[in-house]
Every structure is written in C-alpha cells, then in structure tokens.
Amino acid sequence: MLLSDLLPHTLREAPAEAEVPSHRLMIRAGLIRRHAAGIYSWLPIGLRVLRKAERIVREEMERIGAVELLMPCVQPAELWHESGRWQKYGPELLRMTDRREREFCFGPTHEEIITDLIRNVVSSHRQLPLTLFQIQTKFRDEVRPRFGIMRAREFLMKDAYSFHLDEDTLAETYTRMREAYERILERIGLDYRVVEADNGAIGGNSSHEFHVLADAGEDTIVYAPQGQYAANLELARAQAPEGERPAPGAELEHVPTPNARTIPEVAKLLKIPAERCVKTLIVQGSEAAAVALVLRGDHELNHIKAARLAEVASPLVLLDAEAVEALGGLKFGSIGPVGLEMPVIADRDAAILSDFCCGANKPGEHYIGVNWDRDVDEPAVADLRLAREGDTSPDGQGTLAFARGIEVGHVFELGTRYSEAMGAVAQDDHGAERPLSMGCYGFGVSRVVAAAIEQSHDKRGIIWPAAIAPFDILVVPVGHGRSADMLGAAERLHDELEQAGFEVVLDDRALRPGVMFKDAELLGIPHRLVLSERSLEQGMVEYRARTAESNEDIPRERIADFLRERMHPPE
RNA sequence: CGGGGUGUAGCUCAGCCUGGUAGAGCACUACGUUCGGGACGUAGGGGUCGUAGGUUCAAAUCCUGUCACCCCGACCA
C-alpha cells in the first residue's frame, strides 16, 4: 500500500485540548479527527488499527461459541419504557423523535433490543443456552467526554448477551467470557487486571471489570501484588479490624475547640491522633430524613458502600450545611454521635474504638473519652470506608497497592432483571414457563486502541503492539534526488514483501529523509526498512525495529526470511 | 451539575491592558536550489478575530448576553 493514498496527516504539534499521550499521539499521527465533543472520525490508518482490534475480539468471541448478529443503533422508546430505563437512565441517553413525534433513543447498550428479539424467537430450553454478540457504534451522552477516543460519546463496542434457564450454564458462560477477555488482552499484549466491580446502572449480581494499567486511567484499582485480590476502589472491601474493643478507660469530657473544625485541626489542638477521632457524616436516609455515618478520623467514606445500606438513600446524598442546620442546629465541624437523634451507622474501625474524640453537636465544642454503649447507643456496624494502600488484602494475601486503570471490559451476571420486566420466558424440560437468566458482556473496542497507546509509546510517538499495528513494515526510500530508480527499487521491495504475506506500506511521498523518519516514529509501525543509494549499491537493506536505537544492514535477498524470523521467532 | 479557564488562518500562538489598515512560525500552492533525522529562497492562497447586541467618528481590543470548547470534582466500554 502507498502511504500517500492513506490520507497521511501528521502534525508537529498537537492541539492544545489534547492532554493525555494517547490523545495527543492519535491526533498528531493523523489517526483520528474531532468534529464535536467526544465525536471523532477515524482516518484510514487509524481505522486499520481499529479493525485489527475488532478482528481479535470477534475471533475470541467465536472461539467460545458466541454468534454474531447486528442490532439497530436507533431504538424505540417503548422497549425502554418496558424495562423502566427510559426514566432511570437519565440524560446520558440521547433521545430523539421522528417525524411522527414517536420517541427513540440512540442505543447506549442493547439489553432491551436483545431481550425483545429473544422473547419472540426463543421459547424452548432446547434453544438454550445461547450467546450472541455484535460489534457496533454506541452513543452515550457523557457528562464530560475527554481524552479523545478514550472517553468518547460515540464509540465502538462489542456487546454480548447470553440467555439461560439454569444458573449453572450462566456461570459457565460468564467464566468462558472472562477467559475470552483475558485472551483478547493478552493477544494485544496489554498489562491488565481483572477486578471485582460495582454493577452500576445495568443492575444484576456478579460483575468484573477488565482494566488496562496506565497512568492516564480514570479509575483507581486496588490490588494485592503478591495475591489474587483486585477490585475497583469503589468496591474494594476494607480490611476488618482485629481484636475486641478495649474497655472504657477515660471519663467522658467536654472540651472547647474554638476554630478547630477539621479532623487534623481538632487532632492537633487536643494532641490526639486522628485515628482516635471520629468523623460524623449526615446523609439522606431511605426512610429516616437523615442518617449519621461514623468513620475513624483518618478514614474516607466510600460512597458506593454507603449507598448500598438499606437505611441510606441511593444514590447517596450528603446533606448540605443548610439541611444539617435544620436538624436541630447542627454545624459542620462539630457533629458527633453523642445525643444525636437519628440512626447511627459506624464503620467497623470506628466501632471498635474506645475513649475516642468526636464533635459535641455545638459549634466549637468536642467530647473526648467517648465510649460506645456507655455514652452513645451501640451503633449499627458496616464496612463504610475506602480501602487504603498498605491495608492487608481482604483475602489475607499480601497488602494492597493502588494503580490507575482504563476500563476496557465489563462482564455482568444480570439474572432475570430484564427478562422478567419484558416477559422473556421459555419452557423448561418439564414444560413450565420460566424467565430467562441473562449475562451481558461489554468490551470497548475503540477504547482499547487508546489504552494500547497509553501503555506503549515513547517521546517520539506510538509503538504499536504487533497484533494491532496498522502495518507490519514501513519501507522508506531516501535520496530520490540522486538515484532515479530509488522509488522503483522501493516498489519492488514492497511488492515482494507483500507477496510474502506481510502488510507493507511504502512511504512514496518523496520528502526529505528527516521528515519521513520522524513520521515513521510517530506512526509507530513495528518494522522499518530504509533503502538508500548506498544500500542499493551494496545490495543491502537497512532494518530498524521501532523499539531499537540503531540500524542493522540485512542482505537484500535475505530480507523476507529475516523479517519472518523477527516477527515469529522460533520457540 | 458545581468550580476554574479559553475562543484570532488547518495546527501552535502574538496582538487586547492603553480602540485607529489583522500578524508570526508550521502546514498549503507554484518555481528554483537542496536531499540520511522535521532545509532554504522567491512569489502566492487562506481569517466577517466563536456569536448577537451595546458604547464610540472608529471595536479583535471596552461593556452585556449567548454558544462552543478545555481543565478539576459526582457517572461509564
């Protein structure tokens, strides 16, 4: 293929808006182009990469017996009303009306459509289990699209759905899908972690996320480097405290704390470590107007965990200063559980404290020597806090470390949430009609391309993993001006390698060598061959891997074999 | 949605404070010289200064509204 035919458009400088390496490099290399926030074109070279990622995903889906179909991007509102999500999904759902004022949305996901399809097509256990997938453009009207293709509003996703009448085959498909995702990420050559996850808006039971590790990642993942445990920080269980609560050793005492509102200020003023203070957060209750959450002073509230408590409203609402004041004159900076007239839930670490310090529910006053049971009713106890680096892993193996991750895949066991709402049933082997169990499995195809660049680039440009590189080999002829047949020689080399089965692109732009070399590095094609007047005379070709610092001269007639060995080294 | 910021040529930016003929580098076109790490010369093309209104003899510049975009926090492949 000729580079000049591929709409090459490299930039020396990236637009000011591009912040993270993958976004900058994709724009500079001319792989994508933005039209509006989170909406991009894929230029020919970029599209080759996307198609390669897509092909790997498709192959691994087919390997586990999933079957491809294609569903519509535009979906009728009625189906979303049936599942209840027309109300629930919120402004992220791009809604529209047709000429007859009938409502539609641009699909952000396809549970409704697939369930509608299956309920009309499947009626017997003999047709199950069944796993279907598609690779298709999705639209989610993200609050804040950013980082180019990484968090776009329009993006390419593989979504798969499985249907079952028994939990065993659902669990089996779920496991096979997890393994398929691991194979995809291994084939692309990415460093990743599988983590326990929250189910979010899609709902259901068990759920795992697949994160590619990268500094630009938007999620914090928690994992034990020496053990198996890994989870999204939102979900990571905190280490349970050991031992019993010590018996009270101090008297309850009222102390003035003028101008000390935060835990560090109070701790400093009273010369008490933050670990012996508690903070009290007032949130909206599910039934009660307010619920108090008590955490140790040095711990942070995990909002997801709090929202999951039956007593607490979901999603979590932290009451603001005004609402707190309305509850009997409470002020931020001096709230504590003593004498508080509302349900109190303490984190496990706060619940085993004795002789602790807390706000006295009057501005500028605190209590010290506070003890549960003696001074305050025993609280309900729950895991409320965020995990911290250095905590012992919840499974006891090693200590927790944090890393940044880019979520490229997410698998869910949905159960019967959609099939019950939408009446997707089949007859079991006794002739009884039962709702189908579902699994759903998403993989961000366009996002994994950005993730690959985040993990594999240097200051000069992209370093494509071989599996998704737009081409295997770039041929660069230099010295057009001196040697009349330079381009002809390059074309012969290109044709020969193409016939040998390589994907080859020839830089036929006849630019100055420096420009072509810079672009070669920016584009990141794994193998570069340079032809020059000198090498032609000597019957050699100059080879350099994208990752190498220097050149090797390879005899012209050996070049195909040499490249074969480089790309597929003998075991 | 809350907080901060930016809109001037395809890209990076200057000009704005202190109103007076819209600029530079890169990119683009033509010609010439160059040709192993982002060359040089000459001549060109391209911008109603985001947008609407106001102040003024005169607005890129001052004022008001509005839109778009970017960054930091609550959501997701």
Side-chain angles (χ1 to χ4, degrees):
Chain A
M1 194 135 339
L2 299 179
L3 185 57
S4 65
D5 289 337
L6 294 170
L7 202 60
H9 185 71
T10 55
L11 296 176
R12 234 190 254 208
E13 290 170 293
E17 76 213 31
E19 294 276 319
V20 297
S22 62
H23 189 195
R24 297 178 64 81
L25 290 171
M26 288 184 87
I27 302 259
R28 283 192 54 213
L31 307 183
I32 57 170
R33 202 75 190 170
R34 188 178 73 90
H35 301 284
I39 297 178
Y40 289 84
S41 284
W42 287 80
L43 277 60
I45 299 171
L47 184 62
R48 289 182 68 95
V49 178
L50 186 65
R51 291 286 179 243
K52 290 213 170 169
E54 187 181 322
R55 193 167 79 198
I56 291 170
V57 171
R58 180 175 286 114
E59 283 171 6
E60 294 303 333
M61 287 298 104
E62 287 173 348
R63 188 204 295 268
I64 61 165
V67 177
E68 188 166 7
L69 84 172
L70 185 60
M71 293 181 274
C73 294
V74 175
Q75 307 181 11
E78 295 93 87
L79 296 177
W80 287 72
H81 280 124
E82 273 191 64
S83 70
R85 288 208 292 185
W86 189 257
Q87 298 299 327
K88 257 189 156 175
Y89 211 92
E92 211 172 285
L93 187 64
L94 178 65
R95 296 154 210 251
M96 51 192 138
T97 49
D98 69 6
R99 66 208 302 168
R100 285 173 215 138
E101 298 296 312
R102 206 179 149 199
E103 288 185 295
F104 290 87
C105 64
F106 197 109
T109 175
H110 279 68
E111 282 81 11
E112 281 80 3
I113 294 282
I114 191 103
T115 305
D116 183 44
L117 183 72
I118 292 303
R119 68 180 167 183
N120 291 310
V121 169
V122 171
S123 49
S124 159
H125 71 276
R126 291 166 189 262
Q127 294 165 281
L128 302 171
L130 176 67
T131 307
L132 298 163
F133 77 99
Q134 65 173 347
I135 297 175
Q136 188 217 31
T137 298
K138 298 281 186 281
F139 193 96
R140 296 186 186 176
D141 200 355
E142 292 275 354
V143 187
R144 187 142 90 85
R146 60 179 150 177
F147 302 158
I149 226 70
M150 198 138 97
R151 178 190 288 282
R153 291 195 293 174
E154 185 178 309
F155 59 98
L156 189 68
M157 176 175 167
K158 186 282 302 177
D159 47 325
Y161 306 88
S162 68
F163 295 88
H164 315 263
L165 268 182
D166 59 285
E167 296 308 311
D168 289 352
T169 61
L170 173 56
E172 200 177 301
T173 301
Y174 186 85
T175 303
R176 280 217 302 271
M177 197 62 77
R178 276 188 58 169
E179 289 164 358
Y181 279 24
E182 296 190 40
R183 273 196 298 273
I184 291 166
L185 294 169
E186 272 155 29
R187 281 181 65 181
I188 299 177
L190 298 174
D191 188 11
Y192 68 94
R193 287 285 186 291
V194 185
V195 308
E196 291 180 7
D198 184 51
N199 287 349
I202 298 184
N205 309 318
S206 122
S207 169
H208 287 84
E209 290 171 355
F210 293 73
H211 284 264
V212 170
L213 301 184
D215 292 338
E218 296 185 272
D219 292 279
T220 300
I221 64 175
V222 173
Y223 68 103
Q226 308 85 3
Q228 293 296 307
Y229 186 77
N232 198 306
L233 177 60
E234 292 173 345
L235 198 75
R237 285 167 276 156
Q239 166 195 15
E242 289 177 10
E244 300 282 305
R245 181 199 300 159
E251 294 300 311
L252 180 67
E253 208 180 318
H254 202 187
V255 292
T257 50
N259 303 321
R261 296 181 72 250
T262 65
I263 293 285
E265 285 165 5
V266 172
K268 194 177 166 199
L269 181 73
L270 300 176
K271 298 191 170 55
I272 298 174
E275 299 88 77
R276 300 204 62 83
C277 298
V278 302
K279 61 173 87 170
T280 306
L281 306 167
I282 312 294
V283 301
Q284 203 175 85
S286 51
E287 287 172 17
V291 173
L293 304 178
V294 178
L295 289 124
R296 218 171 73 183
D298 58 326
H299 287 158
E300 295 290 329
L301 176 69
N302 181 320
H303 290 223
I304 303 276
K305 288 179 184 174
R308 288 185 165 195
L309 298 173
E311 299 89 335
V312 173
S314 176
L316 189 73
V317 180
L318 282 162
L319 297 188
D320 60 20
E322 202 176 317
V324 166
E325 174 102 39
L327 296 163
L330 297 177
K331 294 268 196 193
F332 287 152
S334 58
I335 303 176
V338 180
L340 206 57
E341 291 187 2
M342 63 181 76
V344 174
I345 304 170
D347 180 62
R348 297 173 303 187
D349 287 284
I352 66 153
L353 288 178
S354 56
D355 302 332
F356 59 85
C357 164
C358 67
N361 298 325
K362 285 181 190 161
E365 296 179 26
H366 278 73
Y367 284 118
I368 57 172
V370 185
N371 283 277
W372 298 112
D373 195 28
R374 189 191 69 183
D375 309 318
V376 200
D377 285 345
E378 281 289 352
V381 178
D383 177 8
L384 287 180
R385 71 176 177 93
L386 286 175
R388 290 197 302 188
E389 281 194 283
D391 281 356
T392 304
S393 171
D395 63 9
Q397 296 175 35
T399 56
L400 296 181
F402 283 15
R404 302 296 287 178
I406 300 166
E407 184 187 354
V408 295
H410 201 156
V411 295
F412 299 86
E413 275 187 19
L414 286 177
T416 57
R417 183 187 177 312
Y418 293 92
S419 46
E420 280 181 21
M422 299 181 63
V425 296
Q427 288 185 319
D428 64 17
D429 53 0
H430 296 78
E433 218 170 52
R434 288 173 32 212
L436 299 171
S437 280
M438 284 176 69
C440 80
Y441 318 91
F443 191 92
V445 181
S446 45
R447 182 180 280 184
V448 84
V449 171
I453 298 173
E454 287 298 332
Q455 226 172 56
S456 184
H457 67 272
D458 62 16
K459 61 180 185 294
R460 294 180 179 140
I462 299 166
I463 303 173
W464 287 115
I468 57 169
F471 292 92
D472 303 320
I473 300 161
L474 173 66
V475 176
V476 181
V478 303
H480 299 87
R482 294 224 196 88
S483 176
D485 194 38
M486 179 56 65
L487 198 55
E491 276 167 1
R492 287 191 292 278
L493 177 63
H494 163 275
D495 293 351
E496 192 180 310
L497 291 172
E498 221 167 47
Q499 273 160 26
F502 298 108
E503 293 186 25
V504 193
V505 60
L506 167 62
D507 191 345
D508 58 328
R509 295 177 299 172
L511 297 173
R512 296 169 60 82
V515 178
M516 292 193 286
F517 291 150
K518 290 287 183 198
D519 277 354
E521 279 149 359
L522 181 57
L523 283 169
I525 293 163
H527 306 278
R528 187 185 83 186
L529 297 175
V530 174
L531 279 183
S532 66
E533 193 178 40
R534 177 177 58 88
S535 59
L536 280 185
E537 278 168 11
Q538 295 171 351
M540 304 294 262
V541 176
E542 208 173 283
Y543 168 80
R544 182 146 155 188
R546 175 60 181 83
T547 49
E549 287 299 321
S550 59
N551 302 326
E552 295 174 62
D553 283 330
I554 310 299
R556 173 71 176 75
E557 67 278 7
R558 271 209 64 233
I559 192 68
D561 288 338
F562 171 84
L563 288 164
R564 249 191 295 273
E565 281 165 30
R566 278 302 168 112
M567 289 181 215
H568 309 287
E571 294 296 318

